[in-house]
Amino acid sequence: MKNSYIARQPILDRDKKTIGYELLFRDGPQNRFPDIDPELATSRLLSDHCWSTHYNVLGPYLGFVNFPYQSLLNLVPTLFPCDNLVVEILEDCPPTEALLDAIKQLSQLGYKIALDDFIPNRAWQAFLPYVSIIKFDIRLFPIEKARLFMHKLRGSHIQFLAEKVETYEEFEQAKQAGFVYFQGYFFSKPELIQRKALEPSFITIIQLCKEIAKEEIDYQVLEQLVAKDLTLSYKLLTFVNASALVSTKIQSFKQALVYLGEERLRRFISLVAIASTHRDKPDSLYGLSIQRARYCEQLYQKINGTQTSGNAFLTGMFSLLDSLLDQPLDEIINDMPIEDTVKQALLNGDGLLGQLLKLAKAHEKAEWSQVAQLTKQLKLTESDVAYSYDEAISWAADLLNITP
């Protein structure tokens, strides 16, 4: 079992009493932010700590969590109870209409919204009615300039937080300027917390991704899958029972799954999937396996009509297992309970499934003569192949909350 790391830095009021913590993702004991995609960092932080050790990390205090642009559009914060979560809009998020719509929804649901490292800009004016906290980095936006901005908003519901407070003098100046919350090395450096990372079985994640891809979710199948995996069942029940909307404790997995509803359930599984399977691997690797799965599935259906295409999906999904797990493919496949047609396609390129996988790989490498040859052999049209490839890219990006 691997370790998972998080840093938390206290946020204090004018009397130096802790009111919350900013939670910061770390990928090792060095206590510094790693060079990874912000969406992935947020997914890991939420999956590893807010589902499994949420109240150990925060206790009764507020948790301030950075949410990048795409995760806000996908309403990822709604996977967590609103009573002690502060949704921080990262400073590099563009103030688009789509983002404004997402923030309105979050605000209406009771979530506290914070603008992180805020630099006043007319484009953010429309967001202010839905914002509870504005954070100024006083190294980037001096206290005196912040005071003038706060004066313009006096009487509003917005409260102001001074970040990067490093001396007693800065703390006093910030208080006099009108700040009510404070964060910085003057009070405390980020404290590193180490946990054992609970990781669901890779096979279970794949099966769950397959199930949530269907138009109609079969809760009985999902319940059986979740019940087999200790980590998933623990995260699911912890998450659902932590919700402020639950009046009585949920006891069964099916009850928990139905409570989430289809939309939140898809987000829950997608977030766990992206957090669990990217460890120590390029972000693109897992996404590519899901993209291949969808591509093979789409083409199989075009060839066979409505006939089931589960094996085609699994063929594409498992085609990168050797890279993801750092083991020879034949050793992995031999231990897996999958049909022989899938095994032969993966190991030898045999049968229809093998041809579909070859076509997927050729398309990815832009080997157009090979694409044309396989398209003809499979009696597909060029438009079928092109459309299926574009659709697979979009589907995988949407499923994993990433931008294609």
Side-chain angles (χ1 to χ4, degrees):
M1 185 179 285
K2 297 179 182 178
N3 288 324
S4 181
Y5 301 89
I6 187 175
R8 67 176 194 178
Q9 187 172 34
I11 292 170
L12 301 96
D13 64 14
R14 296 171 68 88
D15 298 321
K16 296 187 186 177
K17 291 180 180 176
T18 299
I19 61 98
Y21 293 93
E22 180 164 10
L23 302 182
L24 307 160
F25 176 74
R26 300 290 186 260
D27 68 349
Q30 296 79 23
N31 200 7
R32 60 174 181 265
F33 188 82
D35 183 20
I36 66 169
D37 178 71
E39 299 284 348
L40 175 55
T42 297
S43 296
R44 292 258 194 92
L45 184 150
L46 295 172
S47 179
D48 286 352
H49 295 274
C50 293
W51 275 326
S52 53
T53 57
H54 186 54
Y55 293 101
N56 290 336
V57 170
L58 288 176
Y61 302 108
L62 294 171
F64 289 68
V65 178
N66 291 323
F67 284 90
Y69 182 74
Q70 195 64 34
S71 65
L72 290 169
L73 295 195
N74 286 307
L75 300 178
V76 169
T78 61
L79 290 173
F80 305 92
C82 63
D83 55 347
N84 64 343
L85 175 65
V86 179
V87 177
E88 291 198 24
I89 304 174
L90 278 176
E91 64 275 10
D92 59 359
C93 288
T96 62
E97 284 295 324
L99 181 62
L100 179 58
D101 288 342
I103 296 307
K104 285 180 181 177
Q105 290 184 60
L106 291 171
S107 177
Q108 289 164 2
L109 290 169
Y111 290 88
K112 295 181 182 67
I113 310 296
L115 292 175
D116 190 29
D117 290 349
F118 185 63
I119 302 294
N121 184 319
R122 191 179 297 275
W124 288 100
Q125 191 72 31
F127 289 77
L128 297 184
Y130 311 100
V131 170
S132 300
I133 298 171
I134 290 179
K135 300 178 72 175
F136 283 113
D137 179 341
I138 63 171
R139 311 247 85 75
L140 298 175
F141 198 76
I143 291 173
E144 184 56 28
K145 288 181 71 175
R147 185 186 68 78
L148 295 173
F149 181 82
M150 289 187 284
H151 184 71
K152 291 178 183 176
L153 291 183
R154 67 189 183 282
S156 75
H157 66 286
I158 297 174
Q159 295 176 307
F160 296 90
L161 187 156
E163 290 185 280
K164 305 283 179 65
V165 178
E166 296 184 359
T167 67
Y168 174 78
E169 289 75 17
E170 286 176 346
F171 174 52
E172 287 298 319
Q173 288 171 16
K175 276 203 298 185
Q176 291 171 14
F179 284 101
V180 294
Y181 299 133
F182 310 87
Q183 180 181 358
Y185 282 9
F186 172 63
F187 310 101
S188 174
K189 293 184 179 181
E191 167 197 5
L192 189 69
I193 298 172
Q194 177 179 315
R195 296 280 188 267
K196 292 296 182 185
L198 297 173
E199 296 183 13
S201 123
F202 183 76
I203 304 305
T204 305
I205 286 293
I206 291 168
Q207 291 171 311
L208 285 168
C209 284
K210 180 72 174 74
E211 287 301 317
I212 64 169
K214 296 178 179 177
E215 285 189 22
E216 289 190 20
I217 289 179
D218 187 329
Y219 287 97
Q220 189 170 354
V221 173
L222 287 180
E223 181 185 16
Q224 292 168 353
L225 289 171
V226 170
K228 288 192 304 184
D229 192 288
L230 173 63
T231 297
L232 266 176
S233 57
Y234 175 73
K235 287 188 176 185
L236 175 67
L237 289 181
T238 301
F239 161 53
V240 174
N241 281 323
S243 171
L245 300 177
V246 178
S247 54
T248 58
K249 291 294 181 186
I250 286 176
Q251 303 296 336
S252 74
F253 300 133
K254 187 173 182 181
Q255 190 185 1
L257 293 167
V258 172
Y259 162 77
L260 284 178
E262 292 194 7
E263 188 176 354
R264 296 176 83 217
L265 182 57
R266 285 189 170 95
R267 291 193 198 118
F268 171 86
I269 291 172
S270 299
L271 189 59
V272 173
I274 196 172
S276 302
T277 343
H278 276 71
R279 297 187 185 278
D280 306 319
K281 296 295 174 186
D283 294 356
S284 58
L285 199 55
Y286 182 55
L288 180 58
S289 66
I290 289 183
Q291 178 187 310
R292 276 188 192 175
R294 180 66 169 175
Y295 183 59
C296 291
E297 178 184 54
Q298 289 280 90
L299 292 180
Y300 187 97
Q301 285 179 328
K302 290 187 184 301
I303 294 169
N304 290 286
T306 57
Q307 189 175 335
T308 178
S309 54
N311 283 339
F313 186 95
L314 292 179
T315 300
M317 191 75 182
F318 292 154
S319 63
L320 286 164
L321 273 182
D322 51 346
S323 299
L324 283 164
L325 300 181
D326 294 323
Q327 296 177 40
L329 192 58
D330 56 347
E331 290 181 16
I332 303 168
I333 297 299
N334 286 333
D335 295 331
M336 289 173 58
I338 55 176
E339 292 185 20
D340 193 58
T341 52
V342 177
K343 290 183 179 180
Q344 295 306 315
L346 290 167
L347 297 176
N348 306 314
D350 292 347
L352 171 59
L353 298 179
Q355 284 186 297
L356 290 174
L357 184 56
K358 288 176 187 174
L359 179 53
K361 291 178 179 178
H363 209 144
E364 289 160 14
K365 296 176 182 176
E367 294 175 347
W368 303 122
S369 59
Q370 176 83 335
V371 169
Q373 183 182 340
L374 287 165
T375 299
K376 187 175 181 181
Q377 287 175 6
L378 292 165
K379 297 181 179 174
L380 292 163
T381 65
E382 290 182 8
S383 61
D384 281 341
V385 171
Y387 173 80
S388 296
Y389 189 73
D390 289 343
E391 195 276 344
I393 292 173
S394 298
W395 186 86
D398 184 59
L399 182 66
L400 295 177
N401 295 337
I402 54 178
T403 305

